[in-house]
Amino acid sequence: MNCTAQLAGKKFNHVIMNASGAHCMTAEQLYEIYHADTAAIVTKSCTLQPRQGNPEPRYTEIPLGSLNSMGLPNLGLHFYQNFVQEAQQDKPIFISLAGLSLEENLEMLQQLNQHSTTAIIELNLSCPNLPGKPQTGYDFQRTQQVLEQVFSFNKLPLGVKLPPYFDIIHFEQMAAILNQYPLQFVTCINSIGNALHIDPATDTTVIRPKNGFGGLGGQYIKPTALANVHQFYRLLNPSIQVIGCGGATTGLDIYQHLLCGASLVQIGTQLMIEGPGVFTRLLQELQEVMQEKGYTSIDQFRGKLKYWEQQNPTT
Ligand code: SIN
């Protein structure tokens, strides 16, 4: 069974990796997932300097997923840069950047370019948890400015992590912007921002920051994630690949992300719930689904979502 993939000029032994934010902030967590059955790993979104993030409790499981308002706690760019240098690199490593300003993102990127890091860059344009800071990906003009500046000097393989979009015109407008730049990939989607969960026993919010508002992850968001993956797969230049992220808890979910056009699939909430063993289970389940459907390689079905009319030609 061939589950290999290629992205940003690198080879991936299969298609499943962590999502930024899940089990990837400290060296211990990073090495644990690096040595697990991942195809690649991505670090916690970082800033130039280390950050404490929002007050706790700031992450919780809820019935069909998770709610978080972490506020970018991280150990700072140098820590993740050093991790990339120290790891043996028998699998690709992505560094996720989430500067608090355009200038900070450019400074981090400049440093990574100067040091010719071997990492792939995932530029996070979609953190919903910073009080007073809008998600860049919802400001189309700002996104264009960011990409213009980034690609005025960047030579590293780079993609962007997008927030979920919900309107067809927004997919089209964002794709038209992204298509102007030599992006290697987009990651769809970050959590659905600013959701609210209430503890029914106490009528109370369940996380502390932002009056309980936080990014929604897990099974709640799979249909939105699949829609975003498929829309961007259709609308982007073929040179810009899509990484699926959102709601995958089984091998069938991974299969459906691939069917919608994803080249790789990231696991967030389910990794938090199950730990690094999740990758072995998901890969095995994906292979079982492929076998049941008679596929021996991902290229045979990736992006080949069938529309209703194709299955019902006479109606
Ligand atoms: C956070 O640290 O608040 C999560 C980051 C993100 O959702 O991009």
Side-chain angles (χ1 to χ4, degrees):
M1 186 84 57
N2 179 3
C3 289
T4 59
Q6 291 226 354
L7 183 136
K10 310 235 181 202
K11 287 199 173 131
F12 296 73
N13 284 345
H14 61 84
V15 292
I16 310 171
M17 60 181 288
N18 70 303
S20 178
H23 210 93
C24 59
M25 186 172 92
T26 65
E28 191 184 355
Q29 291 172 337
L30 284 164
Y31 277 111
E32 249 178 51
I33 54 170
Y34 187 72
H35 294 304
D37 241 341
T38 43
I41 67 167
V42 55
T43 63
K44 170 68 187 165
S45 290
C46 71
T47 46
L48 202 47
Q49 303 302 331
R51 267 176 70 84
Q52 295 287 326
N54 292 340
E56 295 184 7
R58 57 193 183 182
Y59 175 91
T60 189
E61 284 168 25
I62 54 178
L64 294 177
S66 64
L67 192 69
N68 92 84
S69 182
M70 301 298 289
L72 295 175
N74 75 88
L75 300 177
L77 176 67
H78 288 161
F79 172 83
Y80 299 106
Q81 234 178 316
N82 289 341
F83 167 75
V84 171
Q85 263 168 10
E86 278 170 19
Q88 282 196 338
Q89 300 222 34
D90 54 0
K91 56 179 78 169
I93 302 178
F94 294 68
I95 290 187
S96 172
L97 301 181
L100 303 185
S101 64
L102 172 56
E103 292 67 33
E104 189 177 352
N105 275 327
L106 296 178
E107 171 64 31
M108 289 194 287
L109 258 179
Q110 245 142 14
Q111 291 196 18
L112 290 167
N113 272 270
Q114 273 158 17
H115 289 100
S116 304
T117 181
T118 51
I120 303 167
I121 312 302
E122 185 180 79
L123 180 61
N124 182 352
L125 300 181
S126 48
C127 176
N129 302 328
L130 299 170
K133 294 227 177 258
Q135 293 170 77
T136 306
Y138 286 142
D139 181 338
F140 290 16
Q141 214 181 347
R142 184 74 176 152
T143 300
Q144 175 122 34
Q145 284 168 355
V146 169
L147 294 178
E148 197 64 38
Q149 299 258 355
V150 162
F151 286 108
S152 67
F153 66 92
N154 177 63
K155 298 277 180 280
L156 300 171
L158 181 144
V160 288
K161 184 161 183 181
L162 297 173
Y165 298 97
F166 302 94
D167 198 295
I168 296 297
I169 189 75
H170 292 159
F171 290 116
E172 291 169 355
Q173 288 171 341
M174 182 47 72
I177 292 169
L178 299 170
N179 277 336
Q180 295 168 34
Y181 299 97
L183 288 158
Q184 301 284 333
F185 66 93
V186 298
T187 303
C188 300
I189 55 176
N190 207 324
S191 58
I192 296 184
N194 296 301
L196 187 63
H197 183 77
I198 301 171
D199 179 344
T202 62
D203 296 350
T204 310
T205 57
V206 293
I207 53 174
R208 183 168 170 185
K210 292 179 67 183
N211 291 336
F213 283 57
L216 186 66
Q219 292 181 56
Y220 297 105
I221 76 167
K222 187 184 107 176
T224 301
L226 293 180
N228 277 257
V229 167
H230 193 56
Q231 279 294 57
F232 282 110
Y233 176 72
R234 289 177 57 236
L235 294 169
L236 291 176
N237 300 333
S239 58
I240 307 179
Q241 290 172 268
V242 181
I243 299 180
C245 181
T249 64
T250 67
L252 181 61
D253 297 329
I254 307 277
Y255 173 83
Q256 290 187 344
H257 269 275
L258 300 169
L259 193 64
C260 285
S263 293
L264 299 170
V265 183
Q266 298 182 343
I267 311 299
T269 299
Q270 197 59 28
L271 168 59
M272 298 293 285
I273 293 171
E274 211 172 314
V278 69
F279 299 108
T280 310
R281 174 180 70 77
L282 290 175
L283 182 58
Q284 190 177 334
E285 288 179 9
L286 170 64
Q287 288 170 339
E288 283 163 13
V289 173
M290 286 171 61
Q291 196 164 16
E292 273 163 30
K293 290 179 183 282
Y295 293 124
T296 52
S297 98
I298 287 174
D299 287 342
Q300 293 165 346
F301 65 91
R302 201 173 60 76
K304 299 203 172 118
L305 175 66
K306 290 183 235 166
Y307 300 133
W308 193 85
E309 287 87 344
Q310 285 168 265
Q311 287 297 90
N312 301 274
T314 54
T315 48

